[in-house]
Amino acid sequence: PPHSKDPCAWVPSRQSLFHDYLNVATLFVLGATGLLQCLRGGWSYLTSLHAKELNDALSYALLAYMACDFVWIAKEGTRVVKTPHSITIHHVLICVMVGDALWTPSHHYYTALLVPLELNTVLLISRRLVDFNALGHSLFYLSWVYFRLIHFPVFAIYSAPSAVARHLPTGPSFLPSRDAHDPNLVSWLSLLVIIYLQCDWSFALVCSWLRARAGHTFTAANKADKYL
């Protein structure tokens, strides 16, 4: 049943389906807004005071989404998602990171820089709602690798506190100079934990892909493989 404590027995429910559709709509708006903000005028615009108002609005919108989704998942647990503990932890960590974008004015662009990852989450959810063709699968896997395994780690190096940055490899040359204000240490450590979760989910995704390639018969039960 959907509320089983055994993750291997987890089966999507009507409530989890509603949660998926709501997330697709909400996360698409957030992710697309962040991406457009990044592409609108390049780095100089994104980090400028002219972009701060929209960047802050995006941060507050993301906080509101994370807070509402946290309450929903905390209340309903596996009736909504397969792994409620890791997802609620992820939501708390995201809120801490977004907090730094709001607490430190010069970091107002952090949310806009990171929230486009949610476009991959939209693909992650959509692939269990509809059948993807080869292009859809390619977009999903490529965006997964870029956003979760490249973009976030590079940003972690770029935004590392100065006491840590001196011991890390320098970031790519195309990145602008580091901000003079260090991020909140708790916020940066939260980013590292998020990266760990991304790697853990990547391992689960690879396992799911291998099971699919092994030719298992598709049933409602093993459809749960598409839920991380």
Side-chain angles (χ1 to χ4, degrees):
H3 58 275
S4 171
K5 293 183 179 180
D6 179 8
C8 295
W10 190 85
V11 177
S13 67
R14 183 175 297 179
Q15 186 175 176
S16 69
L17 184 63
F18 176 69
H19 182 259
D20 280 350
Y21 279 111
L22 187 61
N23 273 346
V24 164
T26 305
L27 294 178
F28 177 80
V29 172
L30 291 172
T33 301
L35 183 62
L36 291 174
Q37 188 73 338
C38 291
L39 299 177
R40 183 175 176 180
W43 189 267
S44 60
Y45 167 76
L46 181 67
T47 58
S48 69
L49 291 177
H50 297 291
K52 186 178 185 302
E53 184 176 353
L54 184 53
N55 288 342
D56 285 349
L58 185 60
S59 292
Y60 284 118
L62 183 60
L63 278 176
Y65 160 76
M66 290 293 170
C68 292
D69 203 49
F70 175 90
V71 172
W72 189 357
I73 295 173
K75 181 177 183 295
E76 298 297 332
T78 52
R79 294 180 181 86
V80 181
V81 295
K82 184 179 180 180
T83 55
H85 291 100
S86 63
I87 294 176
T88 50
I89 290 171
H90 168 269
H91 284 11
V92 171
L93 296 171
I94 289 292
C95 288
V96 173
M97 285 182 54
V98 173
D100 182 62
L102 292 170
W103 296 327
T104 310
S106 60
H107 297 167
H108 62 84
Y109 62 94
Y110 279 14
T111 300
L113 197 60
L114 297 178
V115 78
L117 172 142
E118 300 303 349
L119 294 174
N120 173 258
T121 306
V122 169
L123 292 174
L124 170 67
I125 299 171
S126 298
R127 68 194 281 266
R128 60 198 185 220
L129 300 176
V130 297
D131 292 329
F132 274 14
N133 58 19
L135 177 60
H137 284 299
S138 298
L139 287 174
F140 167 67
Y141 287 112
L142 288 173
S143 61
W144 180 287
V145 170
Y146 172 72
F147 282 117
R148 300 180 189 272
L149 303 179
I150 298 175
H151 188 86
F152 264 56
V154 168
F155 180 77
I157 294 174
Y158 170 77
S159 63
S162 53
V164 177
R166 66 173 64 102
H167 303 291
L168 296 175
T170 56
S173 58
F174 61 81
L175 288 177
S177 302
R178 282 171 41 85
D179 190 278
H181 297 89
D182 277 353
N184 180 279
L185 182 60
V186 175
S187 174
W188 188 73
L189 292 176
S190 296
L191 174 60
L192 297 187
V193 179
I194 289 171
I195 292 172
Y196 166 79
L197 289 174
Q198 307 287 20
C199 293
D200 184 57
W201 291 334
S202 296
F203 177 75
L205 183 68
V206 170
C207 291
S208 172
W209 184 86
L210 290 175
R211 282 193 292 269
R213 299 287 78 74
H216 287 188
T217 302
F218 182 84
T219 65
N222 62 38
K223 181 182 179 181
D225 278 352
K226 291 189 175 182
Y227 291 75
L228 300 179

